[in-house]
């Protein structure tokens, strides 16, 4: 009998290290930034819309490099 090499078990990554769910969150953050930018009611939403857009875009760029 020959010894079989151990089969590596597929490790499940935590939620925040998987690409699919985090890309969805980043896309939602970008969409929220656009909604905040184009709403005419509250100035505070308009003020923070650019920060929200940039955070979502940066998050999307970073998470798109994560493995599936």
């Amino acid at each position: 009998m020959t010894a079989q090499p151990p089969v590596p078990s597929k490790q499940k990554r935590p939620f925040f290290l998987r690409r699919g769910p985090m890309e969805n969150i980043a896309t939602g953050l970008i969409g929220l930034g656009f909604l905040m930018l184009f709403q005419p009611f509250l100035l505070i939403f308009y003020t923070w819309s650019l920060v929200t857009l940039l955070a979502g875009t940066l998050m999307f760029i970073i998470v798109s490099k994560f493995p599936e």
Side-chain angles (χ1 to χ4, degrees):
M1 285 190 168
T2 61
Q4 297 288 335
V7 178
S9 63
K10 186 175 181 180
Q11 296 176 351
K12 185 171 175 147
R13 288 178 170 61
F15 177 77
F16 58 90
L17 290 178
R18 293 190 343 229
R19 181 170 47 182
M22 292 305 287
E23 279 184 350
N24 292 336
I25 292 172
T27 304
L29 198 59
I30 293 170
L32 179 66
F34 276 116
L35 288 176
M36 290 169 65
L37 182 65
F38 293 124
Q39 61 83 30
F41 303 113
L42 296 173
L43 185 62
I44 192 73
F45 284 170
Y46 180 77
T47 304
W48 285 96
S49 65
L50 181 63
V51 174
T52 308
L53 280 168
L54 290 176
T57 304
L58 182 64
M59 182 179 175
F60 190 85
I61 290 171
I62 291 171
V63 230
S64 65
K65 309 290 188 245
F66 283 3
E68 287 289 325

